[in-house]
Amino acid sequence: MNRVVALIFTLLVGIGTSRAQQGEVTLGIRGGGSTLYGAFSAFAVEAEYSAKEYFALRGGVQYSTISRVTAEVRPAYFHDFNIGRLSAELLFNYAYQSRVSNYAFGCGLLLDTKYISAALGYYCRVMTMAADRLFEPFNIYYKLAVHCLPNRERWDLNVIFSNSQALELERHYQPSLAVEGWYYPLERLGVQLGVNYKPAGMFNLSSDYYQIYGNVGVCYRW
């Protein structure tokens, strides 16, 4: 587990110190309540990198007080069109909780336009605990986001329906509904606020339990 998280963290440091055409690093704190786990909080580091042409990378690391550690990397190949950006991405997600390790591998397509963003992809998951192993050969991930303030330079407000938010990969029947906003009082430095509502159980019990959490973060972009 420590090696996986260390590798992801090294990639994030590399993103944050590289001279990319475009990039962003966010340090965030999440807090909320779950009917399964009770009150919880989490600390996350997320980063995005976009070269001038073709290659992009995003990922993050998160630690929660419910003893859950999550790490994720999503490299992508993109092409810009008049209407927006079309990307093909790979997905690598790792989570550890209650002595259970979850490894997810997948791929998908993303479309990002001025008014909406959408994603659809496939992933498989391997869950291990000691000598036991469970393999899920087929899952889908998806995202639909509406950009409510497309013409405001310093403001962003998105309404998101997804099972594949950053560091929150879930099964297809566990979508979340989120509202996320960003404000940049300075050209490169901003703040992020959000609220998220989602199923939050374990295995097939997930649909019976729910959680809500808010997040606040500090963003630096270049």
Side-chain angles (χ1 to χ4, degrees):
M1 178 189 69
N2 293 334
R3 291 181 179 179
V4 175
V5 175
L7 176 60
I8 303 299
F9 185 77
T10 301
L11 288 172
L12 294 178
V13 172
I15 293 173
T17 57
S18 64
R19 292 188 176 182
Q21 180 71 11
Q22 182 179 359
E24 181 175 285
V25 175
T26 302
L27 304 178
I29 298 175
R30 299 177 178 179
S34 166
T35 55
L36 185 63
Y37 300 113
F40 66 91
S41 60
F43 174 77
V45 181
E46 300 177 43
E48 297 184 9
Y49 166 100
S50 180
K52 185 176 181 180
E53 293 182 322
Y54 306 130
F55 177 72
L57 180 67
R58 58 192 175 115
V61 175
Q62 177 176 270
Y63 174 76
S64 174
T65 56
I66 58 176
S67 299
R68 180 180 178 87
V69 178
T70 308
E72 182 177 273
V73 170
R74 302 192 190 196
Y77 174 85
F78 70 83
H79 189 80
D80 290 328
F81 298 90
N82 291 334
I83 64 170
R85 173 173 293 185
L86 180 64
S87 305
E89 73 170 8
L90 298 177
L91 165 67
F92 304 95
N93 181 282
Y94 172 79
Y96 179 84
Q97 184 180 17
S98 302
R99 295 181 295 172
V100 178
S101 294
N102 286 264
Y103 302 87
F105 311 91
C107 58
L109 292 176
L110 295 78
L111 177 64
D112 189 15
T113 71
K114 183 177 181 180
Y115 296 100
I116 65 169
S117 297
L120 181 64
Y122 154 85
Y123 74 94
C124 62
R125 186 198 307 261
V126 180
M127 292 177 285
T128 64
M129 180 178 181
D132 297 325
R133 176 174 297 184
L134 176 64
F135 178 59
E136 292 183 347
F138 184 82
N139 289 285
I140 62 172
Y141 69 92
Y142 50 85
K143 178 181 178 179
L144 179 62
V146 178
H147 308 308
C148 302
L149 301 172
N151 299 315
R152 300 294 297 273
E153 182 179 355
R154 295 185 179 272
W155 294 83
D156 285 309
L157 180 64
N158 295 338
V159 178
I160 305 168
F161 179 80
S162 174
N163 73 330
S164 58
Q165 287 279 75
L167 303 171
E168 297 288 346
L169 182 66
E170 301 289 357
R171 294 174 176 87
H172 64 276
Y173 53 83
Q174 296 175 263
S176 65
L177 180 63
V179 178
E180 295 186 345
W182 296 262
Y183 172 58
Y184 283 84
L186 302 176
E187 181 181 0
R188 298 184 182 275
L189 190 64
V191 294
Q192 178 191 34
L193 296 172
V195 61
N196 190 300
Y197 177 75
K198 57 175 285 187
M202 297 178 63
F203 306 110
N204 292 328
L205 298 177
S206 298
S207 60
D208 297 328
Y209 299 93
Y210 294 87
Q211 75 179 22
I212 184 169
Y213 65 83
N215 61 279
V216 59
V218 178
C219 315
Y220 176 79
R221 64 182 181 184
W222 64 91

